[in-house]
Amino acid sequence: MKNNRSALLIILVFVYSCTTEVKPDNLYEQEEQVFIQGYLSPTDENISIYVSRALLNFGTKLSGNDYEENKDKFVIKNALVRIENTKGESISLPYSLENRQYRVSKEEFAITEGEKYYLEVDVEGKKFSSECVIPKKIGIVNTKFGKGISQYGGEGDFITVSFEDLKGSKDFYIIGGRIVFEGLKYEGVEQEEDLSSELYFGLERFATDVIGDGNVISSKGEMYTYYYNEEDNVREILRVQVAHVDENLYQNLRATYSNYYNNDNPFAEYVIAPDNIEGKNGVGVFAGYNLTEKEIVLTDQ
């Protein structure tokens, strides 16, 4: 089962939070913020915009057992969401109960490389806006396999992903991927969906052309596998992905990733994740990216 977003953009599903230092007397007087998140790409099947409330942790009651109930406490279902391109063509995105997002198919409104898009969101009369440009798609992605010391101390399998930076611009990239195990059984039972294992690149998943315009960029990641019997006829498919992203998305995700993995480090400085949503009490990111994928069949029994 192929999903363009799932392998690389697993880190895009993150908890975005804003912390404001306030006096105890004013805790209940703070205005709620509107969180808006949307990533546009020519490689996506749908255009999706997520709109929710971002409330102070203090005084917000959440269910300890029901994740879906908690999501419903924040999502905004009555917003007016519209996207427009530079030609003046626009589309309104209806709310999807199934996905808790405002969504349309790419057949209804094309997302094109190099084009600029404008977002407008109206939440009960409060106006929010943003804009983004869709980056170019990179060319060939090269891969090289090898052995090394795993992050757990033993010998591990590694992959080096390399590609040529696009010339003539300041560029930002995110590298990722996964191994999909088709036909793998869990406790003797074949699963409805194929199991998979993410490639671990750490901070090397984030790359720029700061070393020089047009140079080769490379990142090294660790590969993990499941153990299974040869007679199970498992097919291993490696999907490596490189996303050329705009700077807002890159800086936001890098800050979020750094804060998550340094959460227990008292010596690490907290990084403020930038946003590009215009409008009073509006936060979030509206950004463009373009995805290049390379698929390799590791085993085909």
Side-chain angles (χ1 to χ4, degrees), residues 79-90:
L80 301 177
V81 179
R82 189 173 73 92
I83 292 178
E84 183 176 341
N85 60 23
T86 56
K87 301 174 185 177
E89 301 167 335
S90 65

Side-chain angles (χ1 to χ4, degrees), residues 130-198:
S130 189
E131 61 183 53
C132 72
V133 175
I134 308 302
K136 295 180 180 179
K137 189 181 183 73
I138 69 164
I140 298 173
V141 175
N142 299 303
T143 53
K144 182 180 179 180
F145 301 94
K147 298 286 186 179
I149 302 300
S150 167
Q151 61 173 321
Y152 300 109
E155 185 179 59
D157 295 313
F158 286 81
I159 181 173
T160 299
V161 177
S162 61
F163 55 94
E164 190 173 303
D165 170 52
L166 297 171
K167 295 181 180 180
S169 58
K170 185 179 179 181
D171 299 299
F172 302 84
Y173 306 97
I174 300 177
I175 299 95
R178 65 169 56 183
I179 302 175
V180 177
F181 301 87
E182 292 186 348
L184 182 65
K185 297 178 181 179
Y186 180 71
E187 294 183 348
V189 179
E190 189 167 337
Q191 305 300 294
E192 293 184 5
E193 295 187 2
D194 295 323
L195 297 177
S196 63
S197 174
E198 301 291 336

Side-chain angles (χ1 to χ4, degrees), residues 32 34-36 51-53 76-81 102 121-128:
E32 69 178 23
V34 173
F35 172 63
I36 300 169
V51 184
S52 72
R53 292 179 172 84
I76 295 174
K77 304 175 183 178
N78 63 342
L80 301 177
V81 179
Y102 295 83
V121 177
D122 185 316
V123 179
E124 299 172 353
K126 297 178 181 178
K127 309 286 186 179
F128 305 95

Side-chain angles (χ1 to χ4, degrees), residues 13 15 17 32 35 38 43 66 84 111 131 173 188 190 221 229 246 251 256 265 283 287 293 298:
V13 184
V15 178
S17 62
E32 69 178 23
F35 172 63
T43 56
D66 195 332
E84 183 176 341
I111 301 300
E131 61 183 53
Y173 306 97
E190 189 167 337
N229 297 321
D246 72 21
Q251 298 294 356
T256 303
N265 184 355
V283 295
E293 181 176 77
L298 300 179

